[in-house]
């Protein structure tokens, strides 16, 4: 805990919603730095990521969770349990609904799950992706979300991509948090360790351009990180991409290993940015059969 002025507000805020509603993009926009990976595929986020928003009068710890969904695998079940455990520990839950999709049964199911897991936690609504539709459509969605949440719940429209209304969202969140201490020092943006962030950046590069079911089958593990013996100031990062079937390995590799070369190039660039030093990335692919439904494999990969 750190000293904070009188009247300082602080607390934990969890963005919840269906997969692909823009939670990770919003987390990055509010923190002002990329701490959560984003991809076009749903269910990209695999573990709760804490990003810290600093203000003179407040500190918000954002918990970006995997999207709640009806699970098809043991991994899906464990991710859902992880999300529900997170609800119990936060001060405010913000339900995210994209402006370009009508509220449906999936959103209602999530709201029921939230209320069952954290009946006393404050709720608010966030309409995301407002830059993708007309003003009238945004207004319509705001009314619909207000009706869904009921009561006096605050609802804020935002565009994380354009940075529209993000300051307003922070103001509203701060107003709903209790007075409290400063949990993290001012220069802290996340409590994720470097290895976790590197693994996520590699997974993001691997997911880029993939379609259908394959993204769910991709996991990344950092093997070891060592100073290079041959090159001064270079860090050797050894990592493994796991897939479930040999056919998936071929897709990741691409024709003449070109896709794999692109993954290494893009991931290395992001890791250098993260660590602030030159990196040699040694990346291999292994088949770990049906790892999403294998308790041992899930344990090994941190689920």
């Amino acid at each position: 805990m750190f000293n904070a002025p009188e009247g300082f507000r602080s607390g934990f805020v969890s963005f919840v919603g269906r997969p692909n509603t823009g939670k990770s993009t919003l987390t990055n926009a509010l923190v002002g730095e990329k701490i959560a990976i984003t991809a076009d595929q749903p269910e990209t986020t695999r573990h709760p990521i804490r990003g810290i928003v600093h203000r003179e009068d407040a500190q918000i710890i954002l918990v970006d969770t995997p999207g709640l969904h009806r699970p098809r695998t043991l991994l899906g079940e464990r991710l859902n349990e992880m999300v529900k455990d997170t609800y119990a520990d936060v001060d405010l839950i913000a339900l995210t609904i994209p402006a370009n999709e009508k509220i449906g049964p999936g959103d209602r199911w999530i709201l029921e799950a939230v209320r069952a897991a954290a009946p006393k936690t404050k709720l608010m609504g966030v309409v995301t992706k407002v830059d993708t539709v007309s003003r009238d459509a945004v207004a319509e969605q705001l009314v619909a979300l207000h009706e869904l949440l009921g009561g006096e719940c605050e609802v804020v429209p935002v565009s994380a991509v354009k940075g529209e209304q993000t300051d307003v969202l922070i103001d509203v969140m701060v107003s709903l948090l209790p007075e409290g201490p400063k949990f993290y020092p001012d220069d802290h943006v996340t409590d994720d360790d470097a290895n976790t962030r590197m693994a996520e950046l590699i997974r993001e590069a691997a997911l880029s351009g993939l379609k259908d079911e394959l993204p769910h089958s991709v996991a990344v593990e950092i093997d070891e990180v060592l100073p290079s013996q041959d090159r001064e100031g270079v860090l050797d990062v050894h990592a493994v991409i796991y897939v479930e079937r040999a056919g998936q390995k071929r897709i990741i590799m691409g024709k003449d290993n070109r896709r794999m070369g692109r993954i290494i190039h893009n991931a290395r660039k992001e890791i250098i940015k993260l660590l602030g030093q030159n990196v040699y990335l040694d990346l291999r692919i292994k088949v770990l059969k049906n790892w999403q439904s294998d308790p041992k494999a899930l344990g090994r990969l941190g689920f």
Side-chain angles (χ1 to χ4, degrees), residues 24-68:
S24 296
T25 306
L26 185 55
T27 298
N28 291 340
L30 296 180
V31 172
E33 189 175 313
K34 180 177 178 172
I35 59 157
I37 68 168
T38 58
D40 292 335
Q41 301 87 0
E43 294 169 52
T44 301
T45 304
R46 287 260 176 86
H47 69 285
I49 295 157
R50 287 180 178 177
I52 299 120
V53 178
H54 299 278
R55 293 208 329 189
E56 281 184 18
D57 61 340
Q59 188 176 77
I60 306 172
I61 299 94
L62 299 173
V63 188
D64 178 28
T65 60
L68 257 188

Side-chain angles (χ1 to χ4, degrees), residues 17 19 43 46 65-87 109-110 113 117:
E43 294 169 52
R46 287 260 176 86
T65 60
L68 257 188
H69 59 290
R70 291 186 170 88
R72 299 181 307 269
T73 62
L74 182 58
L75 172 65
E77 287 173 24
R78 288 192 176 176
L79 292 181
N80 271 0
E81 286 311 309
M82 192 195 297
V83 175
K84 287 175 185 174
D85 286 347
T86 303
Y87 295 163
W109 179 80
I110 286 167

